[in-house]
Amino acid sequence: MQGRWIYQLGVLRDALDRLDELHDEWQATRDTLPITAQPGTPDHDDALAEHHAESWSYLDDWSTHGKAIREINTAARSIRSPLAPTPSPVPARHAAARK
């Protein structure tokens, strides 16, 4: 177990919460745009660019700390626990003969 995982999971949770909020804000903004504001028009594209700009730092948090989830999963799968049954071996599948 790595001590940094607690911090990283907190960063990821906070980033995900903020991304959810920003998504809701984008949907509300999109709904208030004029009917003529379609993708490719300045009204739409400027609002979308602002949404993307606000989201980048939280997406960067995920790219920086997201590997902790894989590390935790790998560690959890390699440690025996009385709470989890031992995984049964996966039966080998026979490859279909090629003609």
Side-chain angles (χ1 to χ4, degrees):
M1 181 167 165
Q2 300 290 325
R4 63 183 160 75
W5 288 345
I6 293 171
Y7 167 76
Q8 289 175 302
L9 289 174
V11 169
L12 294 174
R13 183 197 62 236
D14 294 345
L16 187 58
D17 289 345
R18 186 64 183 130
L19 286 168
D20 282 341
E21 291 170 8
L22 288 171
H23 178 72
D24 291 342
E25 289 174 18
W26 163 245
Q27 287 182 323
T29 299
R30 186 189 61 200
D31 292 344
T32 63
L33 292 174
I35 193 86
T36 58
Q38 298 298 317
T41 63
D43 286 339
H44 179 274
D45 291 351
D46 291 347
L48 184 59
E50 185 177 326
H51 165 69
H52 286 165
E54 292 174 355
S55 300
W56 277 118
S57 67
Y58 304 106
L59 294 170
D60 185 56
D61 287 342
W62 270 89
S63 71
T64 302
H65 299 291
K67 64 184 176 188
I69 293 173
R70 285 193 317 262
E71 293 171 352
I72 293 167
N73 182 55
T74 300
R77 296 177 118 236
S78 66
I79 297 172
R80 290 186 167 232
S81 169
L83 302 175
T86 304
S88 59
V90 177
R93 295 183 182 204
H94 298 292
R98 294 187 180 181
K99 294 182 181 183

